[in-house]
Amino acid sequence: MPELPEVETIAQGLAKRVTGDVVESVWLGQKKEPLKSPAEEIAATLERSRIAAVRRMGKHIVFDLEKNGVAQTRLSGKNRKGHKSSGKAATPAASERSWAAGSAPLKAQWIVHLGMTGRLQICAPDWEIEKHTHAIVKLASGRELRFVDPRRFGRLSVATGADFDAGGVEPLEIDTDQFIERFRGRKTPIKSALLNQALLRGVGNIYADESLFRAGIRPRRRAATIAREKLNKLLVAIKEVLREAIALGGSSISDYVGADGEEGFFQLQHRVYGREGEPCLVCQTSIKRVVIAGRSSHYCPKCQK
DNA sequence: ACTATTTCCTGGATGC
DNA sequence: TGCATCCAGGAAATAG
């Protein structure tokens, strides 16, 4: 279940391997759940685009795309209402020019959310197509980038007009004042607030539990009842947990593996997540599990108040 | 404007 | 062995 550290690891791995490559063609499966944008729009946006960068925003992987202005103009005019062709010379010679040449490239983004079980694999075209493969992106380098997701909680979309807005604020970039402002006054349990991507983006169930343990706060505590000092401690804990996890390549439980298929190791550092009934590593008290907002929440009843 | 609950999905684990 | 049931959980949709 990829959260911020896993997605960061995957995005970095992908960036290393596909930056600069060009999309030749795109195949999209028939299942509609994984597609947040219309299939034709995703395909049209990706095809003939150069992958300028791959980065993470919250739990999303964002591919920054650049396309020759001429080709993009033609596609936009055909596929999007109210978007007129700009009248630039659309000669075949121009559309085949190298990416560096000619007018400024038109930008777009391909956004991938892995959900629970989504994976992006880079492979040779003759690799067996796995069950639950929903997208195959053919690259000019001869490789393929495939999206595989058995549970179909993952999502693919494109942003063409404006930049993709992931909502919320990056937990590794937010400062104490911003954090307190966003979380204080909320009546909801702090655990729910941490999972709310519109507040803070990228923290999921594992890292919420681990951060709350380090900060000594019970997951059911209402955000509004937590003192500023304690909220500050929580933010420090969140940043610490996320940074440590990124350094270890994320947590490999269930389906997660990095871009090259390697596993992460942060699961070995989990102090409460998945440890129901086991002794607290600090005080030996049995770790409890309760359900909050439909999510398993693990905590030490003695260390967390 | 918030908050809480339900729904979507499949595979692996568990129970009888 | 086989079959049914439960559970994992992010985010969108729905209800209050």
PDB file of all heavy atoms in Angstrom, chain A residues 230-266:
ATOM      1  N   LYS A 230       2.005  19.961  21.497  1.00  0.00           N
ATOM      2  CA  LYS A 230       1.880  18.547  21.141  1.00  0.00           C
ATOM      3  C   LYS A 230       1.715  18.391  19.618  1.00  0.00           C
ATOM      4  O   LYS A 230       2.237  17.450  19.027  1.00  0.00           O
ATOM      5  CB  LYS A 230       0.658  17.980  21.873  1.00  0.00           C
ATOM      6  CG  LYS A 230       0.677  16.481  22.039  1.00  0.00           C
ATOM      7  CD  LYS A 230       1.616  16.019  23.128  1.00  0.00           C
ATOM      8  CE  LYS A 230       1.396  14.531  23.414  1.00  0.00           C
ATOM      9  NZ  LYS A 230       2.495  13.957  24.178  1.00  0.00           N
ATOM     10  N   LEU A 231       1.006  19.318  19.013  1.00  0.00           N
ATOM     11  CA  LEU A 231       0.854  19.284  17.553  1.00  0.00           C
ATOM     12  C   LEU A 231       2.210  19.482  16.884  1.00  0.00           C
ATOM     13  O   LEU A 231       2.522  18.842  15.882  1.00  0.00           O
ATOM     14  CB  LEU A 231      -0.127  20.369  17.087  1.00  0.00           C
ATOM     15  CG  LEU A 231      -1.617  20.034  17.174  1.00  0.00           C
ATOM     16  CD1 LEU A 231      -2.452  21.233  16.741  1.00  0.00           C
ATOM     17  CD2 LEU A 231      -1.969  18.814  16.325  1.00  0.00           C
ATOM     18  N   ASN A 232       2.986  20.360  17.454  1.00  0.00           N
ATOM     19  CA  ASN A 232       4.330  20.583  16.918  1.00  0.00           C
ATOM     20  C   ASN A 232       5.156  19.299  17.001  1.00  0.00           C
ATOM     21  O   ASN A 232       5.853  18.923  16.073  1.00  0.00           O
ATOM     22  CB  ASN A 232       5.019  21.717  17.685  1.00  0.00           C
ATOM     23  CG  ASN A 232       6.405  21.981  17.128  1.00  0.00           C
ATOM     24  OD1 ASN A 232       6.591  22.021  15.920  1.00  0.00           O
ATOM     25  ND2 ASN A 232       7.380  22.130  18.010  1.00  0.00           N
ATOM     26  N   LYS A 233       5.000  18.621  18.141  1.00  0.00           N
ATOM     27  CA  LYS A 233       5.716  17.360  18.325  1.00  0.00           C
ATOM     28  C   LYS A 233       5.267  16.330  17.274  1.00  0.00           C
ATOM     29  O   LYS A 233       6.064  15.556  16.756  1.00  0.00           O
ATOM     30  CB  LYS A 233       5.442  16.824  19.741  1.00  0.00           C
ATOM     31  CG  LYS A 233       6.367  15.703  20.147  1.00  0.00           C
ATOM     32  CD  LYS A 233       6.158  15.283  21.599  1.00  0.00           C
ATOM     33  CE  LYS A 233       7.066  14.102  21.941  1.00  0.00           C
ATOM     34  NZ  LYS A 233       6.777  13.534  23.263  1.00  0.00           N
ATOM     35  N   LEU A 234       3.979  16.377  16.979  1.00  0.00           N
ATOM     36  CA  LEU A 234       3.438  15.455  15.974  1.00  0.00           C
ATOM     37  C   LEU A 234       4.045  15.727  14.600  1.00  0.00           C
ATOM     38  O   LEU A 234       4.431  14.805  13.879  1.00  0.00           O
ATOM     39  CB  LEU A 234       1.908  15.577  15.923  1.00  0.00           C
ATOM     40  CG  LEU A 234       1.199  14.750  14.836  1.00  0.00           C
ATOM     41  CD1 LEU A 234       1.519  13.260  14.963  1.00  0.00           C
ATOM     42  CD2 LEU A 234      -0.311  14.980  14.899  1.00  0.00           C
ATOM     43  N   LEU A 235       4.124  16.995  14.253  1.00  0.00           N
ATOM     44  CA  LEU A 235       4.705  17.334  12.947  1.00  0.00           C
ATOM     45  C   LEU A 235       6.158  16.883  12.855  1.00  0.00           C
ATOM     46  O   LEU A 235       6.591  16.334  11.836  1.00  0.00           O
ATOM     47  CB  LEU A 235       4.598  18.845  12.681  1.00  0.00           C
ATOM     48  CG  LEU A 235       5.230  19.299  11.355  1.00  0.00           C
ATOM     49  CD1 LEU A 235       4.574  18.590  10.172  1.00  0.00           C
ATOM     50  CD2 LEU A 235       5.116  20.810  11.193  1.00  0.00           C
ATOM     51  N   VAL A 236       6.892  17.087  13.937  1.00  0.00           N
ATOM     52  CA  VAL A 236       8.293  16.633  13.967  1.00  0.00           C
ATOM     53  C   VAL A 236       8.336  15.115  13.756  1.00  0.00           C
ATOM     54  O   VAL A 236       9.163  14.603  12.990  1.00  0.00           O
ATOM     55  CB  VAL A 236       8.960  17.029  15.298  1.00  0.00           C
ATOM     56  CG1 VAL A 236      10.329  16.362  15.434  1.00  0.00           C
ATOM     57  CG2 VAL A 236       9.086  18.546  15.396  1.00  0.00           C
ATOM     58  N   ALA A 237       7.419  14.401  14.431  1.00  0.00           N
ATOM     59  CA  ALA A 237       7.375  12.940  14.316  1.00  0.00           C
ATOM     60  C   ALA A 237       7.043  12.509  12.886  1.00  0.00           C
ATOM     61  O   ALA A 237       7.643  11.575  12.344  1.00  0.00           O
ATOM     62  CB  ALA A 237       6.346  12.376  15.293  1.00  0.00           C
ATOM     63  N   ILE A 238       6.089  13.200  12.271  1.00  0.00           N
ATOM     64  CA  ILE A 238       5.694  12.871  10.897  1.00  0.00           C
ATOM     65  C   ILE A 238       6.892  13.017   9.958  1.00  0.00           C
ATOM     66  O   ILE A 238       7.198  12.121   9.165  1.00  0.00           O
ATOM     67  CB  ILE A 238       4.545  13.795  10.424  1.00  0.00           C
ATOM     68  CG1 ILE A 238       3.254  13.472  11.177  1.00  0.00           C
ATOM     69  CG2 ILE A 238       4.322  13.664   8.919  1.00  0.00           C
ATOM     70  CD1 ILE A 238       2.153  14.516  10.981  1.00  0.00           C
ATOM     71  N   LYS A 239       7.581  14.130  10.071  1.00  0.00           N
ATOM     72  CA  LYS A 239       8.722  14.371   9.187  1.00  0.00           C
ATOM     73  C   LYS A 239       9.825  13.335   9.414  1.00  0.00           C
ATOM     74  O   LYS A 239      10.438  12.852   8.472  1.00  0.00           O
ATOM     75  CB  LYS A 239       9.271  15.785   9.415  1.00  0.00           C
ATOM     76  CG  LYS A 239       8.320  16.868   8.931  1.00  0.00           C
ATOM     77  CD  LYS A 239       8.933  18.252   9.021  1.00  0.00           C
ATOM     78  CE  LYS A 239       7.978  19.295   8.440  1.00  0.00           C
ATOM     79  NZ  LYS A 239       8.529  20.647   8.414  1.00  0.00           N
ATOM     80  N   GLU A 240      10.034  13.014  10.677  1.00  0.00           N
ATOM     81  CA  GLU A 240      11.063  12.039  11.037  1.00  0.00           C
ATOM     82  C   GLU A 240      10.735  10.662  10.451  1.00  0.00           C
ATOM     83  O   GLU A 240      11.568  10.025   9.814  1.00  0.00           O
ATOM     84  CB  GLU A 240      11.090  11.967  12.571  1.00  0.00           C
ATOM     85  CG  GLU A 240      12.187  11.159  13.193  1.00  0.00           C
ATOM     86  CD  GLU A 240      12.004  11.149  14.724  1.00  0.00           C
ATOM     87  OE1 GLU A 240      12.365  12.159  15.352  1.00  0.00           O
ATOM     88  OE2 GLU A 240      11.497  10.156  15.254  1.00  0.00           O
ATOM     89  N   VAL A 241       9.490  10.242  10.655  1.00  0.00           N
ATOM     90  CA  VAL A 241       9.064   8.928  10.158  1.00  0.00           C
ATOM     91  C   VAL A 241       9.156   8.871   8.632  1.00  0.00           C
ATOM     92  O   VAL A 241       9.668   7.900   8.063  1.00  0.00           O
ATOM     93  CB  VAL A 241       7.610   8.635  10.619  1.00  0.00           C
ATOM     94  CG1 VAL A 241       7.008   7.491   9.825  1.00  0.00           C
ATOM     95  CG2 VAL A 241       7.578   8.318  12.105  1.00  0.00           C
ATOM     96  N   LEU A 242       8.683   9.911   7.970  1.00  0.00           N
ATOM     97  CA  LEU A 242       8.697   9.913   6.505  1.00  0.00           C
ATOM     98  C   LEU A 242      10.128   9.903   5.970  1.00  0.00           C
ATOM     99  O   LEU A 242      10.438   9.182   5.023  1.00  0.00           O
ATOM    100  CB  LEU A 242       7.927  11.123   5.968  1.00  0.00           C
ATOM    101  CG  LEU A 242       6.419  11.128   6.238  1.00  0.00           C
ATOM    102  CD1 LEU A 242       5.791  12.418   5.728  1.00  0.00           C
ATOM    103  CD2 LEU A 242       5.731   9.918   5.594  1.00  0.00           C
ATOM    104  N   ARG A 243      10.988  10.703   6.573  1.00  0.00           N
ATOM    105  CA  ARG A 243      12.378  10.764   6.101  1.00  0.00           C
ATOM    106  C   ARG A 243      13.084   9.437   6.307  1.00  0.00           C
ATOM    107  O   ARG A 243      13.810   8.964   5.438  1.00  0.00           O
ATOM    108  CB  ARG A 243      13.143  11.874   6.828  1.00  0.00           C
ATOM    109  CG  ARG A 243      12.701  13.262   6.386  1.00  0.00           C
ATOM    110  CD  ARG A 243      13.802  14.311   6.572  1.00  0.00           C
ATOM    111  NE  ARG A 243      13.340  15.625   6.122  1.00  0.00           N
ATOM    112  CZ  ARG A 243      12.882  16.577   6.943  1.00  0.00           C
ATOM    113  NH1 ARG A 243      12.853  16.354   8.257  1.00  0.00           N
ATOM    114  NH2 ARG A 243      12.477  17.729   6.459  1.00  0.00           N
ATOM    115  N   GLU A 244      12.874   8.823   7.470  1.00  0.00           N
ATOM    116  CA  GLU A 244      13.499   7.520   7.731  1.00  0.00           C
ATOM    117  C   GLU A 244      12.997   6.484   6.744  1.00  0.00           C
ATOM    118  O   GLU A 244      13.756   5.666   6.233  1.00  0.00           O
ATOM    119  CB  GLU A 244      13.183   7.054   9.160  1.00  0.00           C
ATOM    120  CG  GLU A 244      13.967   7.785  10.225  1.00  0.00           C
ATOM    121  CD  GLU A 244      13.570   7.354  11.629  1.00  0.00           C
ATOM    122  OE1 GLU A 244      13.075   6.215  11.806  1.00  0.00           O
ATOM    123  OE2 GLU A 244      13.754   8.154  12.570  1.00  0.00           O
ATOM    124  N   ALA A 245      11.693   6.533   6.482  1.00  0.00           N
ATOM    125  CA  ALA A 245      11.098   5.544   5.574  1.00  0.00           C
ATOM    126  C   ALA A 245      11.615   5.720   4.150  1.00  0.00           C
ATOM    127  O   ALA A 245      11.914   4.739   3.462  1.00  0.00           O
ATOM    128  CB  ALA A 245       9.577   5.649   5.609  1.00  0.00           C
ATOM    129  N   ILE A 246      11.727   6.966   3.708  1.00  0.00           N
ATOM    130  CA  ILE A 246      12.255   7.219   2.359  1.00  0.00           C
ATOM    131  C   ILE A 246      13.680   6.680   2.261  1.00  0.00           C
ATOM    132  O   ILE A 246      14.062   6.043   1.275  1.00  0.00           O
ATOM    133  CB  ILE A 246      12.218   8.723   2.021  1.00  0.00           C
ATOM    134  CG1 ILE A 246      10.764   9.182   1.837  1.00  0.00           C
ATOM    135  CG2 ILE A 246      13.025   9.015   0.753  1.00  0.00           C
ATOM    136  CD1 ILE A 246      10.596  10.697   1.733  1.00  0.00           C
ATOM    137  N   ALA A 247      14.460   6.910   3.316  1.00  0.00           N
ATOM    138  CA  ALA A 247      15.855   6.462   3.321  1.00  0.00           C
ATOM    139  C   ALA A 247      15.953   4.946   3.198  1.00  0.00           C
ATOM    140  O   ALA A 247      16.917   4.410   2.650  1.00  0.00           O
ATOM    141  CB  ALA A 247      16.557   6.941   4.589  1.00  0.00           C
ATOM    142  N   LEU A 248      14.923   4.240   3.704  1.00  0.00           N
ATOM    143  CA  LEU A 248      14.940   2.776   3.648  1.00  0.00           C
ATOM    144  C   LEU A 248      14.156   2.231   2.457  1.00  0.00           C
ATOM    145  O   LEU A 248      13.922   1.031   2.345  1.00  0.00           O
ATOM    146  CB  LEU A 248      14.383   2.194   4.956  1.00  0.00           C
ATOM    147  CG  LEU A 248      15.270   2.412   6.190  1.00  0.00           C
ATOM    148  CD1 LEU A 248      14.615   1.819   7.426  1.00  0.00           C
ATOM    149  CD2 LEU A 248      16.642   1.786   5.988  1.00  0.00           C
ATOM    150  N   GLY A 249      13.706   3.111   1.576  1.00  0.00           N
ATOM    151  CA  GLY A 249      13.005   2.649   0.381  1.00  0.00           C
ATOM    152  C   GLY A 249      11.554   2.291   0.624  1.00  0.00           C
ATOM    153  O   GLY A 249      10.954   1.548  -0.144  1.00  0.00           O
ATOM    154  N   GLY A 250      10.976   2.799   1.725  1.00  0.00           N
ATOM    155  CA  GLY A 250       9.560   2.545   2.005  1.00  0.00           C
ATOM    156  C   GLY A 250       9.328   1.253   2.765  1.00  0.00           C
ATOM    157  O   GLY A 250      10.279   0.591   3.191  1.00  0.00           O
ATOM    158  N   SER A 251       8.059   0.916   2.957  1.00  0.00           N
ATOM    159  CA  SER A 251       7.679  -0.296   3.680  1.00  0.00           C
ATOM    160  C   SER A 251       7.153  -1.326   2.692  1.00  0.00           C
ATOM    161  O   SER A 251       6.206  -1.069   1.986  1.00  0.00           O
ATOM    162  CB  SER A 251       6.557   0.003   4.690  1.00  0.00           C
ATOM    163  OG  SER A 251       6.943   1.007   5.603  1.00  0.00           O
ATOM    164  N   SER A 252       7.791  -2.479   2.638  1.00  0.00           N
ATOM    165  CA  SER A 252       7.281  -3.533   1.758  1.00  0.00           C
ATOM    166  C   SER A 252       6.391  -4.469   2.544  1.00  0.00           C
ATOM    167  O   SER A 252       6.851  -5.380   3.219  1.00  0.00           O
ATOM    168  CB  SER A 252       8.441  -4.326   1.141  1.00  0.00           C
ATOM    169  OG  SER A 252       8.943  -3.651   0.028  1.00  0.00           O
ATOM    170  N   ILE A 253       5.082  -4.223   2.451  1.00  0.00           N
ATOM    171  CA  ILE A 253       4.152  -5.208   2.970  1.00  0.00           C
ATOM    172  C   ILE A 253       3.161  -5.401   1.853  1.00  0.00           C
ATOM    173  O   ILE A 253       2.999  -4.531   1.017  1.00  0.00           O
ATOM    174  CB  ILE A 253       3.445  -4.757   4.274  1.00  0.00           C
ATOM    175  CG1 ILE A 253       2.680  -3.456   4.052  1.00  0.00           C
ATOM    176  CG2 ILE A 253       4.454  -4.566   5.380  1.00  0.00           C
ATOM    177  CD1 ILE A 253       1.870  -3.058   5.245  1.00  0.00           C
ATOM    178  N   SER A 254       2.541  -6.549   1.796  1.00  0.00           N
ATOM    179  CA  SER A 254       1.605  -6.814   0.717  1.00  0.00           C
ATOM    180  C   SER A 254       2.305  -6.658  -0.630  1.00  0.00           C
ATOM    181  O   SER A 254       3.333  -7.269  -0.869  1.00  0.00           O
ATOM    182  CB  SER A 254       0.402  -5.889   0.908  1.00  0.00           C
ATOM    183  OG  SER A 254      -0.331  -5.740  -0.235  1.00  0.00           O
ATOM    184  N   ASP A 255       1.829  -5.777  -1.493  1.00  0.00           N
ATOM    185  CA  ASP A 255       2.269  -5.795  -2.890  1.00  0.00           C
ATOM    186  C   ASP A 255       3.402  -4.859  -3.254  1.00  0.00           C
ATOM    187  O   ASP A 255       3.880  -4.885  -4.371  1.00  0.00           O
ATOM    188  CB  ASP A 255       1.087  -5.415  -3.788  1.00  0.00           C
ATOM    189  CG  ASP A 255      -0.101  -6.293  -3.532  1.00  0.00           C
ATOM    190  OD1 ASP A 255      -0.869  -6.002  -2.586  1.00  0.00           O
ATOM    191  OD2 ASP A 255      -0.255  -7.272  -4.246  1.00  0.00           O
ATOM    192  N   TYR A 256       3.789  -4.010  -2.333  1.00  0.00           N
ATOM    193  CA  TYR A 256       4.707  -2.955  -2.737  1.00  0.00           C
ATOM    194  C   TYR A 256       6.135  -3.399  -3.074  1.00  0.00           C
ATOM    195  O   TYR A 256       6.794  -4.087  -2.315  1.00  0.00           O
ATOM    196  CB  TYR A 256       4.783  -1.877  -1.646  1.00  0.00           C
ATOM    197  CG  TYR A 256       5.929  -0.929  -1.862  1.00  0.00           C
ATOM    198  CD1 TYR A 256       5.846   0.047  -2.839  1.00  0.00           C
ATOM    199  CD2 TYR A 256       7.106  -1.069  -1.159  1.00  0.00           C
ATOM    200  CE1 TYR A 256       6.913   0.890  -3.080  1.00  0.00           C
ATOM    201  CE2 TYR A 256       8.177  -0.226  -1.379  1.00  0.00           C
ATOM    202  CZ  TYR A 256       8.070   0.748  -2.345  1.00  0.00           C
ATOM    203  OH  TYR A 256       9.128   1.557  -2.590  1.00  0.00           O
ATOM    204  N   VAL A 257       6.608  -2.987  -4.219  1.00  0.00           N
ATOM    205  CA  VAL A 257       8.036  -3.059  -4.544  1.00  0.00           C
ATOM    206  C   VAL A 257       8.391  -1.789  -5.305  1.00  0.00           C
ATOM    207  O   VAL A 257       7.542  -1.149  -5.891  1.00  0.00           O
ATOM    208  CB  VAL A 257       8.408  -4.285  -5.416  1.00  0.00           C
ATOM    209  CG1 VAL A 257       8.330  -5.558  -4.631  1.00  0.00           C
ATOM    210  CG2 VAL A 257       7.536  -4.361  -6.658  1.00  0.00           C
ATOM    211  N   GLY A 258       9.638  -1.410  -5.271  1.00  0.00           N
ATOM    212  CA  GLY A 258      10.082  -0.194  -5.948  1.00  0.00           C
ATOM    213  C   GLY A 258      10.099  -0.338  -7.459  1.00  0.00           C
ATOM    214  O   GLY A 258       9.691  -1.362  -8.009  1.00  0.00           O
ATOM    215  N   ALA A 259      10.562   0.679  -8.136  1.00  0.00           N
ATOM    216  CA  ALA A 259      10.527   0.726  -9.594  1.00  0.00           C
ATOM    217  C   ALA A 259      11.339  -0.406 -10.218  1.00  0.00           C
ATOM    218  O   ALA A 259      11.024  -0.882 -11.296  1.00  0.00           O
ATOM    219  CB  ALA A 259      11.032   2.072 -10.080  1.00  0.00           C
ATOM    220  N   ASP A 260      12.373  -0.828  -9.537  1.00  0.00           N
ATOM    221  CA  ASP A 260      13.190  -1.901 -10.086  1.00  0.00           C
ATOM    222  C   ASP A 260      12.836  -3.246  -9.464  1.00  0.00           C
ATOM    223  O   ASP A 260      13.573  -4.210  -9.587  1.00  0.00           O
ATOM    224  CB  ASP A 260      14.677  -1.593  -9.855  1.00  0.00           C
ATOM    225  CG  ASP A 260      15.073  -0.272 -10.489  1.00  0.00           C
ATOM    226  OD1 ASP A 260      14.903  -0.140 -11.704  1.00  0.00           O
ATOM    227  OD2 ASP A 260      15.535   0.617  -9.757  1.00  0.00           O
ATOM    228  N   GLY A 261      11.727  -3.291  -8.751  1.00  0.00           N
ATOM    229  CA  GLY A 261      11.292  -4.546  -8.151  1.00  0.00           C
ATOM    230  C   GLY A 261      11.925  -4.818  -6.793  1.00  0.00           C
ATOM    231  O   GLY A 261      11.671  -5.830  -6.173  1.00  0.00           O
ATOM    232  N   GLU A 262      12.747  -3.886  -6.327  1.00  0.00           N
ATOM    233  CA  GLU A 262      13.399  -4.091  -5.036  1.00  0.00           C
ATOM    234  C   GLU A 262      12.421  -3.758  -3.906  1.00  0.00           C
ATOM    235  O   GLU A 262      11.514  -2.954  -4.081  1.00  0.00           O
ATOM    236  CB  GLU A 262      14.662  -3.228  -4.914  1.00  0.00           C
ATOM    237  CG  GLU A 262      14.413  -1.758  -4.619  1.00  0.00           C
ATOM    238  CD  GLU A 262      13.936  -0.954  -5.825  1.00  0.00           C
ATOM    239  OE1 GLU A 262      13.601  -1.555  -6.863  1.00  0.00           O
ATOM    240  OE2 GLU A 262      13.879   0.267  -5.718  1.00  0.00           O
ATOM    241  N   GLU A 263      12.656  -4.390  -2.765  1.00  0.00           N
ATOM    242  CA  GLU A 263      11.763  -4.150  -1.639  1.00  0.00           C
ATOM    243  C   GLU A 263      12.283  -3.032  -0.749  1.00  0.00           C
ATOM    244  O   GLU A 263      13.476  -2.763  -0.715  1.00  0.00           O
ATOM    245  CB  GLU A 263      11.641  -5.425  -0.800  1.00  0.00           C
ATOM    246  CG  GLU A 263      10.984  -6.557  -1.562  1.00  0.00           C
ATOM    247  CD  GLU A 263      10.580  -7.688  -0.642  1.00  0.00           C
ATOM    248  OE1 GLU A 263      10.999  -7.665   0.529  1.00  0.00           O
ATOM    249  OE2 GLU A 263       9.838  -8.566  -1.104  1.00  0.00           O
ATOM    250  N   GLY A 264      11.350  -2.411  -0.029  1.00  0.00           N
ATOM    251  CA  GLY A 264      11.752  -1.429   0.970  1.00  0.00           C
ATOM    252  C   GLY A 264      11.944  -2.142   2.299  1.00  0.00           C
ATOM    253  O   GLY A 264      11.620  -3.318   2.436  1.00  0.00           O
ATOM    254  N   PHE A 265      12.471  -1.431   3.270  1.00  0.00           N
ATOM    255  CA  PHE A 265      12.767  -2.075   4.545  1.00  0.00           C
ATOM    256  C   PHE A 265      12.200  -1.365   5.761  1.00  0.00           C
ATOM    257  O   PHE A 265      12.505  -1.725   6.875  1.00  0.00           O
ATOM    258  CB  PHE A 265      14.286  -2.247   4.694  1.00  0.00           C
ATOM    259  CG  PHE A 265      14.849  -3.203   3.688  1.00  0.00           C
ATOM    260  CD1 PHE A 265      15.419  -2.740   2.516  1.00  0.00           C
ATOM    261  CD2 PHE A 265      14.746  -4.577   3.896  1.00  0.00           C
ATOM    262  CE1 PHE A 265      15.907  -3.638   1.562  1.00  0.00           C
ATOM    263  CE2 PHE A 265      15.233  -5.477   2.952  1.00  0.00           C
ATOM    264  CZ  PHE A 265      15.812  -5.000   1.777  1.00  0.00           C
ATOM    265  N   PHE A 266      11.389  -0.359   5.536  1.00  0.00           N
ATOM    266  CA  PHE A 266      10.904   0.382   6.699  1.00  0.00           C
ATOM    267  C   PHE A 266       9.937  -0.436   7.562  1.00  0.00           C
ATOM    268  O   PHE A 266       9.761  -0.141   8.737  1.00  0.00           O
ATOM    269  CB  PHE A 266      10.271   1.718   6.293  1.00  0.00           C
ATOM    270  CG  PHE A 266      10.009   2.616   7.466  1.00  0.00           C
ATOM    271  CD1 PHE A 266      11.061   3.244   8.123  1.00  0.00           C
ATOM    272  CD2 PHE A 266       8.715   2.805   7.945  1.00  0.00           C
ATOM    273  CE1 PHE A 266      10.828   4.049   9.235  1.00  0.00           C
ATOM    274  CE2 PHE A 266       8.481   3.610   9.058  1.00  0.00           C
ATOM    275  CZ  PHE A 266       9.543   4.232   9.703  1.00  0.00           C
TER     276      PHE A 266
END
